[in-house]
Structures are given as structure tokens and as C-alpha cells.
Amino acid sequence: MVANVTLKKAKQNKQDEFYTQIKDIEQELKHYKKHFLRKIVFCNCDDPEWSNFWKYFELNFDYLGLKKLISTHYEENKPSYKLEIIGDVTGDGKVDYKDIIKTPLKQNGDFRSPEAIEILKEADIVVTNPPFSLFREYIAQLMKYNKKFIIIGNQNAYTYKEIFTLIQQNKIWSGNKSGDMEFKVPDYYEPRATRYRQDETGQKWRSMGNICWFTNLDISKRHENLILYKQYNESEYPSYENYDAINIDKVTDIPLDYDGVMGVPITYLDKYNPKQFEIIELGIVGSCTFTNNRKMEILDKNGLSTGKFTYNAKGTLYKKYNPMLDKKPAFKDVETGELYSSIYARVLIRKRSS
DNA sequence: AAAGCGGCTCGTTCAAGCAG
DNA sequence: CTGCTTGAACGAGCCGCTTT
């Protein structure tokens, strides 16, 4: 049984082999230069032979004034190794691959292994693209050991309970770039209809439109106000029926003159400046309260019947909001004909009084 | 027609709760 | 305890509009 679970996990984790491009690393890390002086950088989810994170720090070791660079290599089920650079040990006047010190590990180099955790304790800043399937666990470990970090993640993680709480508490925040990012993927990855390509060398690529960086290092973007243009008016900004807030479907539509609570898309967190707005909570909009066993007809994207029924819209009762806010209907109450929309997340925010 | 880009779904899974 | 219902959490993407 245990072996089966392990195998299954290993298989799932295979979808975590995405290699970040050096241009994306440069573009983000240029905003953090001041943080690296005399610091120990640890890349704990990278294959140093391939990792552009390793490459970036090797090339920029002197420019950033690093004290030490460490990377652990991961092996599926056998002892691995770590690489370190502590400076120009060859004395040839520059830091490069000749200065790399390779040391065997007793364990497999997994970021959760005791050996890797010992290295983590020594490190100042962790920079990597961790496996998304272990994202919460990964962040939890960084928080536990009180480490600074700059890592790649996915906007979906904004809605993870633990991650959202950390953002709300101003313990972590999003980095500079968010949105599209393209990654090299191993050959065994299957082609897809969208966001997939194979280049002239046969290398496979995948991209995603919801990639973002997570960090707890200060960056100037965090202190910049989101520039707003629109003015509040009742007709364009309907309130939720059972929660004292207005609904907003696009970040750019946030009105500049509304003092109450607003439900905004989670992508707002890309622009979050804690001095401009405060985060009240994460909400789920949509669905509806209805008594058990009230028959609901499931509708398609055009609001037409699919011929299917449910007795409890996807098993989810809504918490706080009126679902009838210009959303495409997803359910129709068979008895009353009332329409209900589907479910999605909103961040509830309020303007800071200046 | 293709590429860029902003914004955000909904079906599955599993645990907790509850009635019998 | 068993079996069913309820509810919370999740997603290395997707969609549709705009620009080139």
C-alpha cells in the first residue's frame, strides 16, 4: 500500500519538471540586487546541471557580492550531491564553473530531507522554482525556518488558505512579474492544444498565463499605488445581497472613490500595496442558499439546458454573496425558475483612509 | 490569422458530519 | 459502525477579446 502511494505520488510529481528561462530570472531578480550583498543563496529545487537559477547566480556571484551559493541536486531514490561556490578559489581572478565544489550527500537532495534542511538553516535567501504540487509544503518550510525567498508559483496559490493568510498578514507578497511565462519541459510531456510548442531542436515548451513570483523581500512595486480611473456609481457596481460589499470583475475597474468593502478578482494581489488597500478576507461568490433537495437544472455556457440536474449545486452552498451579478447562469431552480451562477473567488478589500 | 494579453471555471476529491 | 449527505479545497491552465 505504502509503495503504491509513493509510486503514485512520484508519478504526479513528474508534472513538476518545468525549467525556468534565464531571461525570466534576470528580469525578476534585477529588482532585488541590494538584498544579496554578503548573503548565502540556496537553490533547493534545482538540478544545478540544468538550472538557470544556478547559472544566474554563478554568473553574477561577484556582481551581487554573494557570500556563498549552494544548490542541491535531487535524485529519485538514491544519494545525491550538492554544489557550492564560495568565491574565486582557483585564484584566476573570476568566479566561474572552475570554482564549483561538489560534495556527495547521504540523502536524495529532496528539499524536505534532513540534510537539505540543515543547509536551509545556513542559508539567507532561497531562490528557485519549486514543484507546484508541493507548493504549500514548500512555503510552510520556508516560513518555519524564517527564510527570505524569491520563488516562482502560480496565481491559483493565492486562494490556498494558508497562502492567502500569509499575504493578508503581510508576511509574503507577489513579486514583480506576473502572467505569461514559458518553460522548457522534458520530452515525455504530452503535447497540448494550447500553450505548447516544440522548437526546431525538438525541445518541448509549455507556457502558462497565471505564473507569478512570491517573495518576502521588500521591492519597490509593493509601495506603488495601483492607478485607478473609474468612479463609483450604483448601476455599474452592484452590491452583494447578503454581504456589505460591491462586486468588481476587473482589477482596472476598481473605483477610486469607494470607501466600503469591494470584492475584486484574485489577480488584484499582483498589485497589492498594503498602504493603499487592506485585505479583509477571501470570499467565494456565486451559487446560492437553497434548501436541501431543491432540484436545480444544470445549464451550459449559453444558459441552455444540458438536460442534467443536481439537487445541490455542485454540493457547495454559498457563504456570503448574491450570485446574481451579471454572471452567466449555471443553474436554474426547477420550481421557481430562478437562475444562479457558478462559483469563483473574490478578494475583499477596503481603501485605507489616508 | 496569429500572437498577445488580461482575467478568471467548475468538476473532482475527500473529509467531516449526521442519521439510522 | 455504515452509508449517505454536506462542505471545503483544489488545479505546472484556459478562454475570449484585442492588437499586430
Side-chain angles (χ1 to χ4, degrees):
Chain A
M1 257 331 180
V2 173
N4 273 344
V5 171
T6 311
L7 276 176
K8 201 180 163 197
K9 263 240 159 82
K11 205 172 180 185
Q12 285 168 352
N13 292 350
K14 278 198 167 179
Q15 291 291 313
D16 281 331
E17 270 188 81
F18 283 65
Y19 292 93
T20 316
Q21 295 182 79
I22 198 157
K23 72 172 172 65
D24 291 321
I25 296 168
E26 275 170 346
Q27 207 178 83
E28 183 68 22
L29 294 192
K30 69 182 180 192
H31 300 282
Y32 301 78
K33 182 171 187 287
K34 65 174 181 184
H35 295 292
F36 284 110
L37 186 62
R38 290 190 284 277
K39 292 293 162 52
I40 299 177
V41 170
F42 184 22
C43 308
N44 59 354
C45 291
D46 294 83
D47 182 338
E49 314 225 0
W50 296 98
S51 166
N52 283 316
F53 285 97
W54 174 269
K55 191 171 169 188
Y56 175 84
F57 287 114
E58 181 189 306
L59 289 169
N60 292 287
F61 193 94
D62 280 337
Y63 171 72
L64 295 169
L66 294 186
K67 183 173 168 188
K68 193 194 245 189
L69 171 63
I70 315 170
S71 178
T72 43
H73 171 79
Y74 172 74
E75 289 283 348
E76 182 99 358
N77 230 338
K78 57 179 183 181
S80 186
Y81 61 86
K82 66 172 175 178
L83 297 187
E84 284 169 299
I85 293 180
I86 55 171
D88 177 23
V89 291
T90 58
D92 64 357
K94 60 179 188 293
V95 171
D96 62 14
Y97 68 95
K98 292 192 221 95
D99 299 303
I100 295 173
I101 302 160
K102 184 172 175 175
T103 315
L105 295 173
K106 294 190 180 73
Q107 292 150 5
N108 70 350
D110 186 307
F111 72 85
R112 297 163 290 186
S113 64
E115 238 173 354
I117 289 174
E118 283 309 307
I119 301 171
L120 179 66
K121 287 179 186 169
E122 177 195 350
D124 297 306
I125 307 176
V126 176
V127 187
T128 193
N129 178 348
F132 284 13
S133 63
L134 302 172
F135 194 74
R136 280 175 303 176
E137 201 175 338
Y138 188 81
I139 288 269
Q141 182 172 303
L142 292 175
M143 300 311 290
K144 179 178 175 187
Y145 292 98
N146 199 22
K147 292 301 161 184
K148 296 294 180 189
F149 59 86
I150 308 165
I151 60 170
I152 288 179
N154 175 311
Q155 287 169 337
N156 284 333
Y158 288 151
T159 63
Y160 299 177
K161 206 171 136 191
E162 303 86 345
I163 304 296
F164 184 84
T165 303
L166 288 169
I167 292 173
Q168 188 180 22
Q169 294 170 342
N170 291 319
K171 290 181 178 165
I172 72 172
W173 43 88
S174 64
N176 285 277
K177 198 206 143 130
S178 65
D180 280 83
M181 205 179 281
E182 192 176 37
F183 304 90
K184 279 188 186 179
V185 294
D187 199 47
Y188 64 76
Y189 274 52
E190 296 296 326
R192 290 188 318 181
T194 58
R195 288 183 177 272
Y196 166 86
R197 72 184 174 94
Q198 208 167 358
D199 67 22
E200 59 283 0
T201 70
Q203 173 67 52
K204 287 179 178 174
W205 296 79
R206 273 198 188 186
S207 71
M208 277 149 283
N210 63 345
I211 296 297
C212 60
W213 293 81
F214 289 84
T215 187
N216 55 357
L217 286 166
D218 195 36
I219 43 174
S220 56
K221 181 189 165 201
R222 182 167 168 72
H223 306 290
E224 287 161 13
N225 278 351
L226 177 61
I227 307 297
L228 301 169
Y229 305 91
K230 301 200 76 164
Q231 300 212 317
Y232 170 73
N233 62 79
E234 261 185 43
S235 59
E236 210 177 334
Y237 298 97
S239 297
Y240 299 119
E241 200 169 69
N242 56 342
Y243 188 90
D244 188 14
I246 58 172
N247 181 69
I248 291 152
D249 287 326
K250 289 183 177 180
V251 171
T252 51
D253 287 346
I254 297 172
L256 51 83
D257 56 350
Y258 189 77
D259 293 326
V261 178
M262 300 178 276
V264 301
I266 58 164
T267 46
Y268 164 73
L269 295 176
D270 294 339
K271 324 278 185 191
Y272 175 48
N273 168 355
K275 292 200 192 80
Q276 188 178 18
F277 290 101
E278 68 173 309
I279 296 173
I280 312 295
E281 63 178 322
L282 184 69
I284 305 297
V285 181
S287 190
C288 53
T289 46
F290 49 86
T291 53
N292 294 341
N293 295 330
R294 212 161 123 190
K295 194 171 185 180
M296 307 291 281
E297 189 172 10
I298 301 172
L299 307 178
D300 68 14
K301 282 181 181 175
N302 301 313
L304 302 171
S305 174
T306 58
K308 294 178 190 164
F309 295 88
T310 177
Y311 286 89
N312 182 342
K314 284 177 297 187
T316 306
L317 296 183
Y318 87 130
K319 292 294 183 205
K320 291 167 179 171
Y321 310 104
N322 173 16
M324 299 301 293
L325 290 168
D326 298 325
K327 288 287 159 186
K328 287 176 186 166
F331 305 101
K332 185 163 98 180
D333 185 305
V334 172
E335 249 177 73
T336 67
E338 284 175 301
L339 297 174
Y340 295 92
S341 65
S342 54
I343 297 164
Y344 47 89
R346 280 285 181 270
V347 182
L348 292 148
I349 62 170
R350 182 166 47 210
K351 210 165 75 174
R352 293 268 185 206
S353 45
S354 39

